[in-house]
Amino acid sequence: MSNTENWVAMGYIKGAFGVKGWLKVQPSTEYTDSLLDYPQWRLSKGKDVQMVEIEAGKAAGDELQVKFSHVNDRDVAALLRGYTIEIPRESFAETEEDEYYWADLVGMNVINREQIALGEVVKLMETGAHDVLVVRGEHGEKLIPFVSQYIDEVQKAQKIIIADWGLDY
């Protein structure tokens, strides 16, 4: 049973690059080039939605440079600036136990062992050693390492993360 409405935002188009229709893309994935694993993207901006096919692409620092098969000049490419890139959730590979996609963690609510709501995961940061949850709520912003030492449980269905994390950390 596949739900084709289950699109996940994975980055956005920053603007045109060069004269042949290439685009600069800011991915919101752990690995810059992992968006290139998906040959088709859905682009959305407001009510405008279109499907595109990747002709070529490469990582350049922390962004991607991509070429869509139907975009062949800078003017057409420039019109795509600001579009969100979406990938169907069902095309993600299955995760191992205790493995999560960043896209699944963003938007989850984090509570600590004392049942105090610390806030919502707004993004993740990669530090080299481990990923860090950026959590914002009424108690300000908290940076919580996404490691078993601090994360007791991820309840995917309830969209809750239980953390061993005090308000004063």
Side-chain angles (χ1 to χ4, degrees):
M1 223 175 100
S2 131
N3 173 9
T4 53
E5 297 306 300
N6 206 352
W7 294 92
V8 180
M10 301 290 280
Y12 67 93
I13 296 176
K14 290 170 75 170
F17 173 75
V19 294
K20 295 190 171 133
W22 281 73
L23 292 147
K24 287 192 285 193
V25 168
Q26 185 60 61
S28 55
T29 51
E30 183 173 4
Y31 302 104
T32 305
D33 61 355
S34 53
L35 260 179
L36 299 176
D37 294 345
Y38 307 98
Q40 283 194 310
W41 296 354
R42 184 170 93 162
L43 303 182
S44 70
K45 185 176 185 180
K47 289 191 178 348
D48 185 20
V49 173
Q50 54 184 294
M51 296 302 294
V52 294
E53 206 162 294
I54 306 296
E55 185 178 298
K58 62 178 189 271
D62 65 346
E63 63 182 28
L64 287 175
Q65 295 169 352
V66 297
K67 167 89 177 60
F68 298 141
S69 49
H70 70 288
V71 177
N72 296 308
D73 69 64
R74 185 180 182 91
D75 295 341
V76 176
L79 295 174
L80 296 173
R81 182 182 173 163
Y83 274 77
T84 298
I85 297 158
E86 298 170 328
I87 304 294
R89 180 66 180 88
E90 48 276 357
S91 66
F92 292 5
E94 282 299 308
T95 54
E96 301 292 319
E97 190 179 349
D98 292 334
E99 254 189 9
Y100 304 93
Y101 282 106
W102 282 19
D104 291 340
L105 298 172
V106 171
M108 284 194 171
N109 291 304
V110 180
I111 58 173
N112 67 14
R113 289 178 174 176
E114 291 73 46
Q115 299 298 304
I116 298 169
L118 299 176
E120 181 182 314
V121 177
V122 291
K123 66 178 183 177
L124 282 95
M125 293 185 327
E126 190 181 359
T127 63
H130 50 260
D131 298 334
V132 174
L133 301 174
V134 179
V135 178
R136 284 199 194 116
E138 60 179 291
H139 306 290
E141 187 172 274
K142 308 225 174 282
L143 302 177
I144 304 174
F146 192 67
V147 293
S148 57
Q149 184 180 346
Y150 300 113
I151 303 300
D152 291 343
E153 189 181 353
V154 175
Q155 300 172 358
K156 267 170 102 167
Q158 295 81 17
K159 291 189 100 34
I160 291 173
I161 297 171
I162 299 171
D164 180 13
W165 202 259
L167 275 183
D168 51 351
Y169 293 6

